[in-house]
Amino acid sequence: MIAARRLMTFAGLLLAWQGIVWLTQAPGYILPAPVAVAAAFVAHAGTLAHHASTTVVEIVSGLLLGSLLGFGSALSLSSWRSVRRWLLPVLVVSQAMPVFALAPILMLWLGYGMASKIAMAVLIIYFPVTAACFDGLRHTPRGWLELAATMRATPGNLLRSIRLPAALPAAASGLRVATAVAPIGAVVGEWVGSSAGLGYLMLHANGRMQIDLMFAALVTLATISLALYFSVDYALKRALPWHRQTLADDEEENQ
Amino acid sequence: MSAAAPPGVHVRIARLAYADSLIFSGFSLKLEAARCTCLLGRSGSGKSSLLRALAQLLSASVCELQIECSDHLPLTGRVAYMAQEDLLLPWLNVLDNVTLGHRLRDRSHNRPEVRDRATRLLGDVGLRGSARAAPGELSCGMRQRAAIARTLMEDQPVVLMDEPFSALDAITRLDLQNLAARLLHERTLLLITHDPLEALRLGDAIYTLDGRPANLSEPLRPRGPAPRPAGDEQLLALQARLLGQLSASVP
């Protein structure tokens, strides 16, 4: 039922796309028809797969590294007051600087390879992950903390058995946001300077008026982002079964 | 059962205040050893604050108090606490929730003797078949039973309970009162409640709290062992008196 509905939405979008091409009579170098894009997919399958694999590695590495960094920062922020005092303002100020503006500097420092793209992805997800995890760690329900206090919990055990698991749902929201924005970081990095990746392929195809290939790369990128998001979402739901019980009904409906 | 005989507890609160609202000033309450002391009061009368003060959950800036036990040992570390919510951790199963204290103190929750005792206690509260269930799968009454098992697992001579049955329906509440009376007698128990009947069924000494700063009434001492039958005439007469006291009190 859900699959049928999604398929219909997809078919509807394709039809609308084709309809616009027919109506506006746009030339292929402005808006290629779906069939032309599909043909580009077939013709350039090898090229697309090669560049897509580069981008996937950049996104996933950035996601892993950024999440670990964010989680670690949140943990130290919540554990030590002095860290909070020094690091929190730095974090907030760092957000005032547009990450995209840093891309050329990262190229300069880390080169044209994958490192600079991974760094972009890390930078762009670091703050949402840190903020979400820190929030989760700060808002352990008071009742649990008091119960643990009467049980004479050691700080380490309290963190491990109550505060960390209690923060997981918030951390999961941060991770979902991170998964959604990490591809942006990687692709922006590729635009600024690279020799591989879907971002590079799009610029390259654009320069050579291969707009159908450019669209094919765009569709590939969107598919990768969606697949990544839904896998992470699915894994998080499986990992936190107790959290699902507390979700509102309408949220279940939308899945 | 605890190895040592439960102590009587005398708490004196010189001052307990939040911001500029003074809840207790020069207040004193004695919990008799191995008896159930009930504290009744309207919402906001300070009864939960008193319990939290006894559980030493309040910072010294909020509360200045002195606690003396009849056996001249400190009260710290000899208290089990049960709140109005069951406070079960949703990511642990029922058995692991019951052994939470061991997990938090020294991670001894997987020792066979600890698990055996927890399993026995789950049997005592009627949850033998639910040891592996997640708390989310249980009804309110069952969750509160699990919380009682967790409280008993702590095996402390002094037990503090803050309206533990207030979220339950009337019949489940009577059941759990019987259960608590059976399993918690021989401990020094402070039970906070807003239900006069509950206090009269379980309490050996019943106080009401009113005014600001709060004052304690003279205690009522219903006859007979707890749990007293809900239809007892003595109880009904005392209930009318308690209700009168409570409705006359300033919240």
Side-chain angles (χ1 to χ4, degrees):
Chain A
M1 184 57 213
I2 295 173
R5 204 165 56 208
R6 284 190 185 153
L7 216 60
M8 274 164 68
T9 312
F10 185 65
L13 281 173
L14 278 183
L15 272 179
W17 179 0
Q18 184 67 56
I20 291 172
V21 173
W22 275 329
L23 273 177
T24 58
Q25 292 290 313
Y29 56 85
I30 297 290
L31 180 62
V35 186
V37 173
F41 254 113
V42 177
H44 302 279
T47 317
L48 281 167
H50 165 68
H51 290 287
S53 64
T54 306
T55 304
V56 167
V57 171
E58 289 164 1
I59 295 174
V60 173
S61 320
L63 204 52
L64 285 176
L65 217 64
S67 306
L68 279 178
L69 266 176
F71 200 68
S73 306
L75 212 53
S76 17
L77 279 173
S78 75
S79 303
W80 294 291
R81 185 194 292 267
S82 56
V83 175
R84 200 152 52 233
R85 204 171 290 157
W86 290 99
L87 193 60
L88 212 52
V90 176
L91 265 177
V92 173
V93 169
S94 79
Q95 279 310 292
M97 186 150 26
V99 181
F100 303 133
L102 291 176
I105 301 175
L106 289 175
M107 286 316 127
L108 182 68
W109 289 346
L110 300 173
Y112 280 82
M114 270 194 195
S116 52
K117 285 79 192 174
I118 295 174
M120 276 297 290
V122 167
L123 274 183
I124 206 168
I125 69 173
Y126 174 68
F127 189 77
V129 172
T130 308
C133 294
F134 181 46
D135 226 38
L137 284 169
R138 260 194 317 181
H139 292 117
T140 316
R142 197 178 68 172
W144 287 341
L145 294 177
E146 291 185 346
L147 180 69
T150 63
M151 289 174 161
R152 287 166 295 136
T154 64
N157 285 335
L158 176 66
L159 179 69
R160 180 170 158 192
S161 298
I162 296 188
R163 292 183 55 216
L164 272 182
L168 285 182
S173 317
L175 207 55
R176 284 196 185 92
V177 173
T179 315
V181 301
I184 303 176
V187 169
V188 167
E190 288 171 357
W191 279 346
V192 173
S194 66
S195 53
L198 289 170
Y200 162 77
L201 183 64
M202 285 174 76
L203 279 191
H204 188 74
N206 193 17
R208 301 209 290 174
M209 292 291 259
Q210 291 175 311
I211 308 305
D212 45 358
L213 178 59
M214 194 178 145
F215 268 76
L218 183 63
V219 172
T220 313
L221 186 64
T223 311
I224 290 171
S225 304
L226 281 177
L228 200 63
Y229 181 83
F230 284 115
S231 325
V232 168
D233 190 51
Y234 178 76
L236 289 175
K237 275 193 189 135
R238 286 291 298 264
L240 311 173
W242 76 86
H243 185 53
R244 205 143 138 213
Q245 293 156 359
T246 57
L247 290 181
D249 288 341
D250 58 347
E251 198 165 336
E252 287 288 319
E253 177 96 353
N254 289 336
Q255 301 304 314
Chain B
M1 283 296 108
S2 304
V9 179
H10 185 189
V11 54
R12 269 175 296 207
I13 303 183
R15 184 173 174 282
L16 193 163
Y18 297 110
D20 38 67
S21 130
L22 185 64
I23 316 277
F24 291 108
S25 174
F27 177 89
S28 160
L29 172 69
K30 274 186 180 158
L31 310 181
E32 294 161 43
R35 289 276 180 277
C36 173
T37 306
C38 281
L39 207 55
L40 274 161
R42 298 169 69 149
S43 304
S45 58
K47 50 195 198 307
S48 283
S49 295
L50 175 61
L51 191 110
R52 291 155 54 85
L54 261 169
Q56 292 168 31
L57 294 170
L58 299 177
S59 70
S61 60
V62 171
C63 177
E64 295 163 30
L65 85 168
Q66 216 182 357
I67 298 174
E68 269 171 37
C69 295
S70 58
D71 54 9
H72 306 296
L73 295 170
L75 182 66
T76 313
R78 294 201 286 166
V79 169
Y81 170 71
M82 185 171 167
Q84 183 175 357
E85 315 88 60
D86 52 70
L87 298 179
L88 298 177
L89 300 176
W91 52 86
L92 297 179
N93 68 25
V94 170
L95 185 69
D96 286 337
N97 264 294
V98 172
T99 57
L100 180 68
H102 289 79
R103 181 186 290 264
L104 290 176
R105 278 187 293 278
D106 50 10
R107 306 206 78 78
S108 58
H109 54 285
N110 276 329
R111 288 203 196 132
E113 68 271 20
V114 172
R115 294 182 75 85
D116 286 351
R117 208 165 82 77
T119 311
R120 219 167 36 244
L121 285 172
L122 279 176
D124 289 347
V125 299
L127 286 179
R128 193 180 299 281
S130 306
R132 309 244 157 249
E137 299 164 24
L138 305 184
S139 68
C140 274
M142 289 165 90
R143 292 171 65 100
Q144 214 58 10
R145 281 169 193 268
I148 292 179
R150 184 189 56 206
T151 310
L152 289 168
M153 189 71 199
E154 290 298 290
D155 199 21
Q156 299 294 0
V158 179
V159 176
L160 307 174
M161 298 176 116
D162 190 359
E163 304 188 15
F165 311 126
S166 59
L168 305 174
D169 66 83
I171 304 300
T172 313
R173 193 185 302 183
L174 285 183
D175 277 351
L176 286 189
Q177 286 165 0
N178 294 344
L179 188 74
R182 181 160 60 80
L183 296 173
L184 288 169
H185 80 114
E186 294 182 15
R187 290 173 205 259
T188 302
L189 179 62
L190 175 62
L191 174 69
I192 285 184
T193 175
H194 54 227
D195 177 359
L197 185 62
E198 180 168 290
L200 289 163
R201 293 196 67 213
L202 298 178
D204 297 302
I206 298 158
Y207 297 88
T208 55
L209 205 57
D210 82 289
R212 179 142 302 176
N215 295 307
L216 216 50
S217 68
E218 283 300 308
L220 282 182
R221 297 181 186 275
R223 291 184 305 276
R228 300 171 193 93
D232 189 335
E233 273 184 33
Q234 175 210 196
L235 251 55
L236 295 179
L238 289 175
Q239 187 181 10
R241 213 166 108 190
L242 276 178
L243 282 172
Q245 273 182 26
L246 285 171
S247 53
S249 70
V250 188

